[in-house]
Amino acid sequence: MTHLNNEFPCIKRLFFLLDPEEEIAPTEMYKLKIIILLSGLSLESDETVKDTIHHKFEALFQIDRIALEEMYCLFEDEMTLYELGIYKVWDKEYITLRSGCQE
């Protein structure tokens, strides 16, 4: 994750929605939705960066027992108040430490 932070300084924050939010049986799957918030405004920014970031994060979140249902890259003016109300902030540093990246 550290290399993604360095490669894409425009990543401002990660948001997630996990279903269910409690512990489940080892045979069950979690459903995950992710929003990658990018700094800047959509009219002033390069839209191609969304595809690049999306593909890199999609590979990062191929994890057993987690079904990645949706992932969006949004600029600051594209995220809705509704999304801010239901998604939780995901600390990027937690992912770095969890994956053992020490770059």
Side-chain angles (χ1 to χ4, degrees):
M1 184 68 179
T2 303
H3 68 282
L4 288 175
N5 282 332
N6 294 335
E7 187 176 351
F8 302 106
C10 62
I11 297 174
K12 187 168 186 172
R13 189 159 285 125
L14 301 175
F15 293 88
F16 74 98
L17 192 57
L18 187 66
D19 181 39
E21 290 187 17
E22 64 272 346
E23 189 77 23
I24 59 174
T27 56
E28 296 180 307
M29 297 276 291
Y30 289 100
K31 297 175 190 171
L32 179 64
K33 297 179 182 180
I34 299 173
I35 295 176
I36 304 165
L37 185 64
L38 307 176
S39 58
L41 303 175
S42 58
L43 293 176
E44 302 170 353
S45 302
D46 179 10
E47 288 284 326
T48 60
V49 74
K50 287 181 176 182
D51 290 332
T52 305
I53 291 171
H54 185 275
H55 291 301
K56 294 206 179 213
F57 269 80
E58 199 170 45
L60 183 66
F61 285 98
Q62 297 299 315
I63 302 170
D64 292 342
R65 297 192 58 221
I66 296 179
L68 184 58
E69 289 195 327
E70 295 177 351
M71 184 183 322
Y72 301 106
C73 289
L74 302 174
F75 290 108
E76 293 172 283
D77 62 331
E78 297 175 312
M79 191 159 184
T80 67
L81 289 174
Y82 175 75
E83 291 164 333
L84 284 170
I86 63 169
Y87 279 75
K88 294 185 167 91
V89 176
W90 193 335
D91 185 2
K92 293 188 298 182
E93 295 303 318
Y94 173 77
I95 298 170
T96 303
L97 296 173
R98 180 188 58 81
S99 66
C101 296
Q102 298 297 322
E103 296 176 9

